[in-house]
Amino acid sequence: MSNHSDPKNSADSHDAHKVTASAKRELPDPTEGNQSLPPALLLVFAGIICFAGVYLGIYHGGFQGAVFNESESTPDLLSSRKPGAATSAQAPVELSLVEQGKAIYSNCQPCHQASGLGIAGQFPTIVGTEYVIGSEKRLIAILLKGLGGPIKVAGATYNGAMPAWEKALSDRKIAAVASYVRATWGNNAPEISEAKVAALKKQLADRSAPWTEAELLAIPADAAIEGAAEAQGVKGAGAEAGVSTAPKGAAASVDIEAGKAQYMAICVACHQPTGLGLFPVFPPLVNSEYVKGSPERMAAIVLNGVMGPIIVDGKPYNNMMPAQGAVLTDTKISQVVSYVRSAFGEGASPVTVEQVAEARKKYGSRPTGWTEAELKAFPE
Ligand code: HEC
Ligand code: HEC
């Protein structure tokens, strides 16, 4: 023991002990050839494979995507597994719009109640009201954009706010819930198709404000929804009708959806998905006089960029926005600024390709971005 505690004493014999001890601890030299897996590991793998097989066996859902789609899934889908029969059996078992709408009504129930009768003084009834069983266009419009301010329903006056659903619910779901409320609690009005919702949504793309009673009543009870045929796939005819019948030809011909895609690819990095920017580096597009104001100026901003001190929505910025004129065509600029104006500019009018081309002609050769003073000098 004392040897071990004092390393300087009889160091040689100590070292010899250490060498043999470490030699004893060593594993045998590796040899060539195959060795079988340890049985325990084999068992673990076998277990995992069995589990995976059983899991897939139970939950494969007939290998049909629709089984997992909340609005199309039915038990029948699962049992009709024969590949030949699947396609013919599927069509008749698909839930009707009204049936699908029942589940979606859970969004409305907190306010309008399971009975559809609402809560006196707070949430109006949707049983038998002109807004529900009357014009399809009105009902879709209400669901898309929401409703605010005083409104008279079934003899009582309400002054609340009904939320907009165009962001939260797909066109199909809006069609389904609209069809459901039109066919429940004794209501007996025809279904509303998904195509009609899609068409009206497109027409109203430049509006973001909720409706008022006066605006809704101005929609005639028998108003037709133009462009529904287009949404169903009759492209040529629908597109022509859109341009010729829409009061604002501009609104119909600018593709706002494409503009959104541009926004999400280009502007979003700085102005953010919300359009609120990032103080103090990137100014907001919401509550901005530049976004709501002159269409020509809005096009000019994207064409040439902006630089130097600028006050937006009451806050000062001093940075620079790169010009996009060289990378974006007139069409793309028209789409993206129209989207920005519709999404963040309180429904300001779209900017047409012609207006962008005109702005490019006037300012395209400008070497620098705009200053605040120059932007303010634009005619409204
Ligand atoms: C947060 C509560 C709330 C939710 C959720 C809600 N609504 Fe409303 N809804 C209201 C209020 C409040 C009004 C009246 C608005 C006003 O006073 O201007 C209204 C009005 C309406 C109207 C027009 C007036 C009438 O009673 O006929 C319809 C139709 C309607 N809602 C349908 C729906 C449907 C369908 C849903 C579900 C997709 C829904 N609402 C979800 C609160 C709500
Ligand atoms: C690289 C970041 C960046 C990108 C990308 C960008 N911007 Fe800007 N934008 C800015 C900055 C920074 C300012 C303010 C410049 C200054 O301080 O003078 C500005 C100013 C603006 C203004 C005027 C002020 C306001 O907030 O209303 C508008 C309108 C605008 N941008 C729209 C757009 C649009 C539309 C796009 C996409 C096509 C876009 N911007 C892309 C950074 C950017």
Side-chain angles (χ1 to χ4, degrees):
M1 286 308 277
S2 59
N3 279 354
H4 287 273
S5 53
D6 184 359
K8 278 174 198 152
N9 265 355
S10 60
D12 283 352
S13 73
H14 183 213
D15 279 356
H17 272 295
K18 252 168 109 183
V19 171
T20 43
S22 68
K24 274 187 203 155
R25 276 202 306 273
E26 255 170 44
L27 294 168
D29 285 339
T31 54
E32 266 187 84
N34 295 327
Q35 273 188 333
S36 56
L37 275 176
L41 203 55
L42 270 180
L43 265 177
V44 170
F45 284 139
I48 290 175
I49 291 171
C50 279
F51 169 77
V54 170
Y55 189 91
L56 191 65
I58 296 176
Y59 297 112
H60 66 73
F63 296 105
Q64 294 184 52
V67 168
F68 301 101
N69 182 333
E70 58 189 285
S71 51
E72 280 165 26
S73 188
T74 74
D76 298 329
L77 257 186
L78 263 179
S79 53
S80 63
R81 262 177 232 163
K82 275 167 237 134
T87 38
S88 52
Q90 235 170 304
V93 302
E94 193 178 307
L95 288 179
S96 73
L97 272 179
V98 172
E99 287 166 316
Q100 291 175 28
K102 190 170 181 182
I104 300 159
Y105 185 73
S106 62
N107 291 291
C108 327
Q109 193 161 322
C111 300
H112 295 288
Q113 306 295 302
S115 61
L117 292 172
I119 296 177
Q122 288 183 47
F123 306 116
T125 170
I126 47 175
V127 178
T129 71
E130 59 198 298
Y131 297 105
V132 174
I133 57 177
S135 149
E136 318 185 301
K137 191 168 178 180
R138 258 189 227 161
L139 179 57
I140 305 175
I142 292 176
L143 293 176
L144 285 172
K145 308 289 173 185
L147 175 61
I151 185 170
K152 204 163 174 197
V153 183
T157 302
Y158 296 83
N159 190 356
M162 145 115 176
W165 296 97
E166 61 180 348
K167 302 245 161 61
L169 298 177
S170 65
D171 295 350
R172 186 184 183 85
K173 288 184 174 174
I174 289 180
V177 75
S179 301
Y180 173 75
V181 298
R182 277 160 76 90
T184 311
W185 315 294
N187 289 349
N188 190 12
E191 262 185 10
I192 292 182
S193 70
E194 182 181 353
K196 286 193 176 151
V197 176
L200 192 59
K201 188 173 179 179
K202 216 165 156 191
Q203 278 173 34
L204 297 174
D206 57 348
R207 180 188 179 108
S208 56
W211 302 100
T212 62
E213 179 180 34
E215 284 174 317
L216 288 175
L217 291 177
I219 300 177
D222 57 352
I225 299 170
E226 308 95 16
E230 179 195 7
Q232 272 161 349
V234 195
K235 274 242 161 71
E240 263 168 45
V243 175
S244 56
T245 59
K248 283 185 287 174
S253 61
V254 175
D255 187 344
I256 304 264
E257 275 304 304
K260 181 174 185 179
Q262 314 275 5
Y263 183 84
M264 289 304 173
I266 305 162
C267 326
V268 75
C270 302
H271 295 288
Q272 306 297 300
T274 52
L276 292 175
L278 276 179
F279 181 78
V281 195
F282 304 120
L285 302 175
V286 177
N287 265 339
S288 158
E289 60 190 289
Y290 301 106
V291 171
K292 283 181 278 197
S294 143
E296 184 184 75
R297 179 173 62 193
M298 183 71 207
I301 287 177
V302 175
L303 276 168
N304 302 314
V306 185
M307 60 182 198
I310 186 169
I311 290 179
V312 185
D313 193 18
K315 293 202 179 115
Y317 298 81
N318 187 355
N319 196 348
M320 96 150 236
M321 158 152 161
Q324 309 286 333
V327 279
L328 294 180
T329 61
D330 293 351
T331 311
K332 286 189 171 171
I333 291 179
S334 134
Q335 289 166 346
V336 73
V337 297
S338 299
Y339 166 73
V340 165
R341 283 159 68 89
S342 96
F344 310 126
E346 292 163 25
S349 66
V351 179
T352 61
V353 182
E354 291 75 28
Q355 284 170 315
V356 177
E358 185 64 33
R360 193 190 284 272
K361 224 193 287 163
K362 285 198 211 157
Y363 316 118
S365 56
R366 244 187 94 95
T368 63
W370 301 97
T371 62
E372 181 179 37
E374 286 172 323
L375 288 178
K376 290 241 184 248
F378 262 88
E380 273 303 313

